[in-house]
Amino acid sequence: MIRARQLSTGQPLEWAGQTQDVWVDVQDLTPDDLTALRAAFVINRLALEDVQEHGHWSRAEVYPEHAFITVRSYARPAQMDEFTERLSILTFESAVLTLSTAGTRALGSVWALVGRESVNSPQEVTYELLDHTADTFFEVADALEDRADTLEEQVFQRQRQNPVAEVFAIKHVIAHARRLATEAREATALLGRHSTCSPADLVRYRDVQDSLTRAAGRLDSLRDVLSSLLDLHLSLQGQRMNEVMRTLTAVSVVFLPLTFLAGVWGMNFEFMPELKSPYGYLLAWTSFVVIGGALALFFKRRGWW
């Protein structure tokens, strides 16, 4: 599917090979579409190969015919899944050509902005597309931070729940997102460094690069937070284990003298005065209750249970 907009006015138009002051967007490129594009634009062969290659990661290059950048970002950033989308941008002197499989979030947002004061040239369209792409990484970081906060609350409130598996799942998503953001940043930096554009356009590219750097920094910080959360979970588990062992130790100490007395009075010696006394049974139970109660009260005041 091929659609086009007039950059100066932002109005949709029937594209018929016009290559001046126009944005041409191609989704789900077909052989017929490719033939029409090659007839209208001088597209570098290497760039065309990158566009058609599936699974290509972010990269940029400045060819004699045009500047080229392809960026990969998240299609559903709020859901924290690994489903990505790719947008390829070919920036000519007076036209911009975008190619994707089924559109992207950034493409849909910027398409409606064409014709405004700040979105009426190929370089400005390229900047807006890259800037909106960078925003998706901030959405991913926001969603991951919310999930990390929820996990932190669960670590304190649900003592029996083990968050280790989910923490490592989130760290896997973070590593994937950081890789995407870093590669998009390097591609944007390369485009701004080698493309022929005005100083204002260079400032825009640096702005995108800064946004991607900040997104990668937030992901790095979140990874450190999750590592600290794991350490906290292990520390709490160790503390709870110590409390359990302390309680068991207190119970054992309470019953230790009682077990000793029961063992002494259970010996089968003939001459034991307590065995013949009518108050021997009462004496034994009184000893058990007094000694056990005293030890239990002592440990209770010490906070051992």
Side-chain angles (χ1 to χ4, degrees):
M1 180 187 73
I2 299 180
R3 58 177 181 170
R5 293 183 79 94
Q6 195 77 33
L7 290 180
S8 57
T9 64
Q11 297 299 321
L13 55 85
E14 291 294 333
W15 185 71
Q18 179 180 342
T19 60
Q20 298 293 321
D21 196 27
V22 65
W23 175 10
V24 179
D25 175 53
V26 183
Q27 299 179 19
D28 192 17
L29 182 66
T30 64
D32 292 339
D33 294 338
L34 180 58
T35 301
L37 291 176
R38 299 186 73 171
F41 295 98
V42 180
I43 303 176
N44 187 276
R45 177 181 58 84
L46 297 177
L48 194 58
E49 290 178 357
D50 288 340
V51 169
Q52 295 177 302
E53 181 180 349
H54 293 286
H56 206 296
W57 288 75
S58 300
R59 68 176 299 271
E61 191 61 69
V62 177
Y63 299 107
E65 300 86 354
H66 54 78
F68 168 76
I69 185 171
T70 180
V71 288
R72 185 173 291 276
S73 60
Y74 283 93
R76 299 189 295 262
Q79 299 181 21
M80 297 183 299
D81 57 22
E82 295 187 359
F83 187 77
T84 60
E85 55 192 9
R86 188 182 65 161
L87 177 64
S88 299
I89 309 171
L90 287 75
T91 307
F92 297 85
E93 184 177 352
S94 58
V96 60
L97 173 62
T98 55
L99 300 100
S100 59
T101 302
T104 66
R105 290 167 55 90
L107 183 65
S109 300
V110 179
W111 186 258
L113 301 178
V114 176
R116 298 186 180 182
E117 182 178 354
S118 60
V119 192
N120 54 16
S121 72
Q123 296 289 351
E124 291 172 348
V125 170
T126 302
Y127 160 73
E128 291 292 340
L129 289 171
L130 295 176
D131 188 54
H132 281 71
T133 298
D135 290 341
T136 63
F137 293 103
F138 286 101
E139 294 182 39
V140 172
D142 290 339
L144 290 172
E145 287 175 353
D146 291 340
R147 187 57 193 148
D149 291 340
T150 302
L151 276 178
E152 189 173 6
E153 293 177 1
Q154 292 176 355
V155 166
F156 287 100
Q157 296 175 358
R158 304 177 185 178
Q159 299 183 0
R160 295 184 179 274
Q161 183 175 356
N162 189 352
V164 174
E166 189 165 1
V167 167
F168 277 102
I170 295 177
K171 291 185 74 171
H172 177 74
V173 176
I174 291 174
H176 186 259
R178 189 185 184 284
R179 179 183 177 188
L180 288 177
T182 301
E183 292 192 351
R185 179 190 63 192
E186 296 301 325
T188 304
L190 181 64
L191 184 65
R193 189 161 53 243
H194 296 290
S195 63
T196 303
C197 54
S198 65
D201 294 327
L202 292 178
V203 171
R204 295 187 180 98
Y205 288 138
R206 286 197 294 269
D207 178 71
V208 175
Q209 184 180 355
D210 179 66
S211 296
L212 292 169
T213 300
R214 287 187 288 110
R218 285 185 60 182
L219 293 170
D220 284 337
S221 300
L222 184 57
R223 184 170 54 185
D224 294 338
V225 168
L226 290 175
S227 297
S228 301
L229 182 60
L230 280 179
D231 294 338
L232 175 63
H233 170 69
L234 294 177
S235 299
L236 290 176
Q237 290 294 98
Q239 179 183 357
R240 291 163 189 155
M241 181 61 68
N242 291 336
E243 293 175 356
V244 171
M245 294 302 298
R246 184 175 60 186
T247 302
L248 292 176
T249 301
V251 173
S252 300
V253 171
V254 168
F255 281 94
L256 183 61
L258 308 185
T259 304
F260 171 75
L261 292 177
V264 170
W265 287 326
M267 292 186 294
N268 295 321
F269 290 106
E270 182 176 356
F271 300 102
M272 293 183 65
E274 293 90 348
L275 297 180
K276 301 297 183 179
S277 172
Y279 302 104
Y281 186 71
L282 177 61
L283 175 63
W285 271 108
T286 302
S287 302
F288 292 159
V289 171
V290 171
I291 295 174
L295 289 174
L297 181 61
F298 173 76
F299 291 137
K300 181 67 175 178
R301 289 183 174 179
R302 296 291 298 270
W304 283 28
W305 59 11

